[in-house]
């Protein structure tokens, strides 16, 4: 998996991706991260990338030219000079489809993904029409830029790429896998602050443990995520 992030703040991407599980996956050459500074592509003599909006209103927009030239350069580095193929290009925006585990699963099969991170009030619509293949949001809120959403998506996608997690980590059944939240879990000591670990977990009876965990998942999902619970009931009728 090769990520290419078009941004005005490449250090923000490089810093976050160099640590922990991501850092290891990069060292192992399972994933690669290339943060490209859109500012390097501006033709403006003062290195400006933003401008006022036609029609007025507050705020500045990123201009089409640096974004387009940056995207051309990144695409060329992936595909070579002549290829007509389009590289998956995700514009991170609150105006997109909301990112979820299923989308992460689908994207984890790509060889290359370009993330376009906006700043200011957004990007000139004409260049978006030319380069963007997917508009993706991470939720209904506004941030100062698209870098954090891009990092969130890369984190989520990367842990689905074979070899990024070790066997123990990936074998773990987890929330969203089957459309239910994870059951409660406990480690030593057996009693903490007068609270005892549920007896069934100490019984060694694997069928009973499985049954208890599934029941707990149902109870927890109904309580905390009634939307997910209703969907699960509908699917498993
Ligand atoms: C992107 C917010 C995706 C939520 C500002 C610039 C954003 C965002 N999901 N806020 N991009």
């Amino acid at each position: 998996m090769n990520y290419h992030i078009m941004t005005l703040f490449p250090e923000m991407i490089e810093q976050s991706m160099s640590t922990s599980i991501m850092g290891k996956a990069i060292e192992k050459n399972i994933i690669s991260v290339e943060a490209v500074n859109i500012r390097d592509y501006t033709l403006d003599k003062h290195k400006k990338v933003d401008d006022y909006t036609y029609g007025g209103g507050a705020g500045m927009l990123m201009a089409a030219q640096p974004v387009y030239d940056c995207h051309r350069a990144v695409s060329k580095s992936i595909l070579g000079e002549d290829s007509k193929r389009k590289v998956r290009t995700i514009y991170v925006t609150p105006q997109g489809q909301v990112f979820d585990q299923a989308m992460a699963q689908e994207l984890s099969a790509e060889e290359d993904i370009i993330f376009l991170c906006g700043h200011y009030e957004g990007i000139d619509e004409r260049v978006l029409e030319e380069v963007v293949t997917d508009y993706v949001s991470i939720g209904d809120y506004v941030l100062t830029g698209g870098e954090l959403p891009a990092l969130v998506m890369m984190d989520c996608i990367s842990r689905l790429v074979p070899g990024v997690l070790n066997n123990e980590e990936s074998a773990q059944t987890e929330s969203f896998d089957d459309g239910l939240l994870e059951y409660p879990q406990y480690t030593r000591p057996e009693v903490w602050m007068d609270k005892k670990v549920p007896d069934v977990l100490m019984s060694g009876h694997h069928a009973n443990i499985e049954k208890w965990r599934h029941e707990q998942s149902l109870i927890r999902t109904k309580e905390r995520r009634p939307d997910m619970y209703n969907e699960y009931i509908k699917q498993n009728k």
Side-chain angles (χ1 to χ4, degrees):
M1 170 63 76
N2 304 302
Y3 299 116
H4 314 263
I5 304 91
M6 297 171 52
T7 171
L8 290 174
F9 300 95
E11 330 78 58
M12 197 172 164
I13 303 295
E14 283 153 4
Q15 289 248 336
S16 315
M17 296 297 283
S18 63
T19 41
S20 186
I21 292 175
M22 289 298 199
K24 273 184 218 131
I26 295 167
E27 273 175 37
K28 288 196 273 181
N29 287 316
I30 300 165
I31 67 174
S32 77
V33 177
E34 175 201 27
V36 185
N37 196 336
I38 296 169
R39 195 177 299 279
D40 291 345
Y41 292 87
T42 183
L43 298 175
D44 181 82
K45 56 181 181 289
H46 301 109
K47 292 267 164 199
K48 213 164 70 87
V49 292
D50 60 329
D51 212 333
Y52 299 99
T53 61
Y54 282 114
M60 309 280 274
L61 275 190
M62 280 167 76
Q65 179 273 316
V67 174
Y68 187 68
D69 290 359
C70 182
H71 188 268
R72 285 292 298 262
V74 172
S75 295
K76 203 169 280 185
S77 79
I78 298 166
L79 299 171
E81 195 70 58
D82 46 16
S83 182
K84 282 278 173 287
R85 190 170 77 82
K86 262 195 182 175
V87 179
R88 204 77 184 265
T89 301
I90 295 175
Y91 179 43
V92 275
T93 167
Q95 300 178 15
Q97 186 187 346
V98 179
F99 186 73
D100 63 8
Q101 197 64 36
M103 201 189 297
Q105 198 71 248
E106 196 239 305
L107 289 169
S108 69
E110 295 285 341
E111 184 103 15
D112 293 271
I113 301 174
I114 301 174
F115 287 99
L116 172 56
C117 304
H119 261 266
Y120 313 110
E121 295 306 301
I123 303 181
D124 189 301
E125 189 69 21
R126 294 166 295 184
V127 69
L128 298 177
E129 290 171 8
E130 287 298 318
V131 308
V132 173
T133 60
D134 304 78
Y135 294 84
V136 184
S137 167
I138 62 161
D140 292 340
Y141 37 79
V142 180
L143 302 167
T144 57
E147 285 76 13
L148 286 170
L151 285 164
V152 164
M153 290 187 240
M154 287 189 281
D155 191 290
C156 183
I157 295 163
S158 297
R159 57 185 293 293
L160 302 174
V161 174
V164 170
L165 299 185
N166 63 42
N167 284 334
E168 210 164 308
E169 290 161 335
S170 32
Q172 250 246 245
T173 58
E174 63 233 334
S175 296
F176 309 122
D177 256 16
D178 53 1
L180 289 176
L181 299 181
E182 187 70 289
Y183 44 78
Q185 298 190 93
Y186 306 86
T187 184
R188 290 192 295 180
E190 192 179 335
V191 181
W192 182 79
M193 298 252 272
D194 294 332
K195 292 164 179 264
K196 200 185 165 306
V197 173
D199 285 330
V200 63
L201 299 179
M202 315 297 291
S203 71
H205 191 303
H206 290 295
N208 284 353
I209 291 172
E210 284 289 284
K211 184 166 169 282
W212 180 86
R213 285 178 167 169
H214 182 66
E215 287 163 1
Q216 292 296 315
S217 283
L218 286 169
I219 291 166
R220 175 158 289 195
T221 308
K222 187 173 185 187
E223 171 100 7
R224 299 187 186 178
R225 289 293 303 273
D227 57 325
M228 276 178 73
Y229 180 77
N230 290 332
E231 187 60 28
Y232 179 85
I233 295 300
K234 204 163 67 176
Q235 297 296 320
N236 292 277
K237 241 189 236 158

